[in-house]
Amino acid sequence: AQKVTQAQTEISVVEKEDVTLDCVYETRDTTYYLFWYKQPPSGELVFLIRRNSFDEQNEISGRYSWNFQKSTSSFNFTITASQVVDSAVYFCALRAISGTYKYIFGTGTRLKVLA
Amino acid sequence: DTEVTQTPKHLVMGMTNKKSLKCEQHMGHRAMYWYKQKAKKPPELMFVYSYEKLSINESVPSRFSPECPNSSLLNLHLHALQPEDSALYLCASSPGLTNTGELFFGEGSRLTVL
């Protein structure tokens, strides 16, 4: 079975604080892809990053960084110096090569950044 | 701006009405998806079209009827809906069904069934 767990339902931080959103996944496939999406109040899911199972390099993009650890089946997302515009719901998702190619979404973490 | 366009953005309908949601993309993608998202929940897959043929139907009630008239358009026809069908309906596309890249989402159509 494939599963994505985002244990943090809601997080509130004050602007300029760093915040880490956790994502833990389960899959028996050796080849799979992990994603993070941002969903602002407008509704659209905005793609942030894709990582394949063979690439454990961490990635940094501006204030965003991602830590992928296969040993713990985690793909965590850190926002440095958070801003009010970061307020959104963030979804972690898994897509395996086998089966129906479905994207498995976590339940999402609502981030509130307070001014 | 999103490259997947959904109309209408908001829709209110009665349980006896017939309405349609529309989705359009011009990225040349050959897979298109309908998702339903209830408040504070993740998107749930409803249908997937690949090369204009229905590939996945997640046991969705027949009051939802998808249609893919061509490679750029995806419709969702609604008839005799229930209040519990009120949700955000998201359309998405990807280059192909087996493509391992990201999904491209529209902004969604927010549906209220009275």
Side-chain angles (χ1 to χ4, degrees), chain A residues 55-85:
Chain A
D55 181 4
E56 285 194 70
Q57 276 194 331
N58 291 332
E59 181 155 337
I60 298 176
S61 176
R63 296 185 297 107
Y64 295 170
S65 62
W66 291 269
N67 181 277
F68 176 30
Q69 292 194 342
K70 284 179 76 172
S71 60
T72 55
S73 297
S74 65
F75 186 41
N76 296 336
F77 172 32
T78 297
I79 301 175
T80 303
S82 59
Q83 299 176 2
V84 172
V85 292

Side-chain angles (χ1 to χ4, degrees), chain B residues 4 23 31-35 74 90-94 103-106:
Chain B
V4 177
C23 174
M32 296 186 75
Y33 308 71
W34 279 116
Y35 282 85
L74 185 65
L90 291 160
C91 175
S93 70
S94 66
L103 293 173
F104 293 76
F105 283 89

Side-chain angles (χ1 to χ4, degrees), chain B residues 41-56:
Chain B
K41 298 288 186 183
E44 295 175 31
L45 184 64
M46 299 175 72
F47 303 103
V48 182
Y49 274 81
S50 176
Y51 287 85
E52 296 140 63
K53 289 189 174 7
L54 185 63
S55 293
I56 297 176

Side-chain angles (χ1 to χ4, degrees), chain A residues 4-76:
Chain A
V4 176
T5 301
Q6 295 181 253
Q8 304 151 309
T9 305
E10 186 167 316
I11 302 175
S12 291
V13 298
V14 177
E15 208 170 16
K16 297 184 184 176
E17 284 185 3
D18 298 347
V19 59
T20 295
L21 309 182
D22 298 332
C23 173
V24 174
Y25 62 91
E26 294 175 30
T27 180
R28 292 182 181 177
D29 288 2
T30 55
T31 301
Y32 53 89
Y33 295 82
L34 296 165
F35 303 81
W36 275 96
Y37 286 87
K38 174 183 179 181
Q39 188 175 36
S42 60
E44 174 192 358
L45 273 83
V46 178
F47 166 74
L48 296 178
I49 190 171
R50 165 184 175 267
R51 181 58 90 224
N52 74 55
S53 52
F54 299 108
D55 181 4
E56 285 194 70
Q57 276 194 331
N58 291 332
E59 181 155 337
I60 298 176
S61 176
R63 296 185 297 107
Y64 295 170
S65 62
W66 291 269
N67 181 277
F68 176 30
Q69 292 194 342
K70 284 179 76 172
S71 60
T72 55
S73 297
S74 65
F75 186 41
N76 296 336

Side-chain angles (χ1 to χ4, degrees), chain B residues 6 9 32 64 79 90 112:
Chain B
Q6 290 188 242
K9 288 197 181 341
M32 296 186 75
F64 294 91
H79 174 53
L90 291 160
T112 302

Side-chain angles (χ1 to χ4, degrees), chain A residues 10 31 33 35 37 39 41-47 49-50 89 91 95-97 100-108 110, chain B residues 1-3 33 35 37 40-43 45 56 58 88 90 94 96-108 110:
Chain A
E10 186 167 316
T31 301
Y33 295 82
F35 303 81
Y37 286 87
Q39 188 175 36
S42 60
E44 174 192 358
L45 273 83
V46 178
F47 166 74
I49 190 171
R50 165 184 175 267
V89 180
F91 290 98
R95 193 182 202 209
I97 294 297
T100 60
Y101 301 95
K102 286 165 58 173
Y103 291 80
I104 310 299
F105 284 89
T107 50
R110 181 176 297 275
Chain B
D1 288 342
T2 180
E3 296 182 78
Y33 308 71
Y35 282 85
Q37 187 179 24
K40 299 190 178 182
K41 298 288 186 183
L45 184 64
I56 297 176
E58 292 287 290
L88 180 67
L90 291 160
S94 66
L97 185 60
T98 58
N99 177 265
T100 55
E102 69 272 24
L103 293 173
F104 293 76
F105 283 89
E107 289 189 348
R110 195 166 296 278

